[in-house]
Amino acid sequence: MPSRDFLERRNALWARLRELTPGAPDFEATLTELSTLIGWERERVLAGLGLTPEDAPPPGEERS
């Protein structure tokens, strides 16, 4: 069973992502941190937020 600290951190990161603008530097940093913490790929985290990769292009990529 995951530790309380892990669960609190995971939940805080999800909540933070919901507050941020997709594609913004803070969004990307938080997404990367959550992805690393829970072992999910970027696309899976985005899907958990109801977003697609086109909704939140990685840094350096422009939206089409």
Side-chain angles (χ1 to χ4, degrees):
M1 179 174 203
S3 73
R4 179 181 179 99
D5 290 338
F6 171 87
L7 295 174
E8 287 176 352
R9 184 68 189 142
R10 181 200 64 190
N11 292 347
L13 290 169
W14 277 114
R16 178 87 174 123
L17 279 173
R18 288 185 186 98
E19 296 171 353
L20 295 169
T21 302
D26 287 348
F27 180 90
E28 291 302 324
T30 303
L31 189 150
T32 299
E33 185 176 351
L34 177 61
S35 179
T36 300
L37 180 70
I38 64 177
W40 286 10
E41 293 181 6
R42 183 178 193 279
E43 291 77 15
R44 188 171 176 191
V45 174
L46 290 173
L49 296 168
L51 300 170
T52 67
E54 291 78 28
D55 296 327
E61 287 187 22
E62 294 190 23
R63 295 176 192 230
S64 23

